Amino acid sequence: MQPRPLTAQPNVIRRRVAFLLLPGFSLLAHASAIEPLQMANQLSGEMLYHTATLSMDSQPVRSGAQLSLLAQHALSESLGPIDLLLICAPTPLPYTLPAKLNEWLRAHQGRGVSLGGLAGGTEVLARCGLLDGYRATLPWQRFEAFSQAYPQVTLSQQLFEIDRDRLTCAGGTAAMDMMHTLIGQHHGARLAEQVSEQFVCDRIRLADERQHVPLRSRLGHAPQSLVDAVTLMEANIEEPLSTLELAEHLGISRRQLERLFKKYLQAVPSRYYLDLRLQEARKQLRETDRAIGDIAFATGFSSGAHFSTAYRNHFGMTPREERLA
């Protein structure tokens, strides 16, 4: 059964959201971004978001899955005022951007238009100089290349970033979490939660949640002994190993292990281990109904008080406050 529309609000703000599709774009990312807006309209009984799709010309745009989508408007057409422009592009971006696209995008800067990138759309904005001085993210596979190419952009490893009038995400279903968050900011958490429920999402992932990056990709060209050390840590969250025990398992000295962590992870082993355990605790607090005390023991803390203190020092709030947030 469909939930009843929320009570219509007087003087509701309606927003125009445009999606620019570039060849090779992700159908999943595009759908994950546009469908929540349409669902928000349906559930609220209001046209909260008017959406439009754009292409460089009047021809269909082929996605990365080799399916074509016919956009409603060409870039040359007059659309009227736009509140949010989201660029859907592949990653990595395999072609040079047309000069007219660069000029068209830059023309929106400073005109009250928020600009966003889904997956490779982040690189489009960066190439046009529209992310300088902003925090931004994109799919984890592009972290290293992007950070080298665009040092003027503060690269984040989060699922998505909303920094002032710039929105970027890792693509895929992260686009849905970003749009749920945006709907919540615009029209309240209740509507955002209802939209999320319609897509059978257990919860709305928050902006401060990191992308899951495979271990070897996270550590790059680090020695195998460091990869093995982190693997051991991730496998022993409930009963943490000491730094000496880790070193003995790996057949290296404690000092060697500490040097590896400092060189490649900029942290001592114990601090890195604590971060892993606290991140796991945060995940359980957000995704399960387990008692806080049970989570404390499951992540290697000897008491609830110790867990609460460590959690507050790391995240700026207690476990109880995290669950109520």
Side-chain angles (χ1 to χ4, degrees), residues 19-35 53-54 61-69 86-95 117-122 124 138-139 141 169-176:
F19 293 83
L20 174 60
L21 308 181
L22 296 182
F25 75 97
S26 164
L27 285 169
L28 177 59
H30 177 236
S32 294
I34 197 170
E35 291 289 347
T53 55
L54 314 175
V61 186
R62 181 168 292 185
S63 72
Q66 301 303 301
L67 297 176
S68 295
L69 194 153
L86 293 171
I87 303 165
C88 307
T91 184
L93 201 59
Y95 42 73
L118 308 181
T122 298
V124 173
L138 76 169
Q141 297 92 333
C169 77
T173 57
M176 183 173 287

Side-chain angles (χ1 to χ4, degrees), residues 191-210:
L191 178 58
E193 289 167 1
Q194 281 200 334
V195 171
S196 175
E197 289 166 358
Q198 289 299 299
F199 295 110
V200 201
C201 295
D202 292 336
R203 66 186 185 93
I204 299 173
R205 292 180 295 177
L206 304 180
D208 60 10
E209 297 185 44
R210 294 182 181 179

Side-chain angles (χ1 to χ4, degrees), residues 271 274 278 281-282 285 301 304-322:
R271 186 67 193 178
L274 178 62
L278 289 170
R282 185 181 226 186
L285 284 167
F301 292 92
H306 181 205
F307 173 54
S308 183
T309 299
Y311 199 94
R312 185 179 63 249
N313 290 340
H314 193 77
F315 294 116
M317 63 175 66
T318 65
R320 188 174 301 279
E321 290 168 341
E322 177 75 74

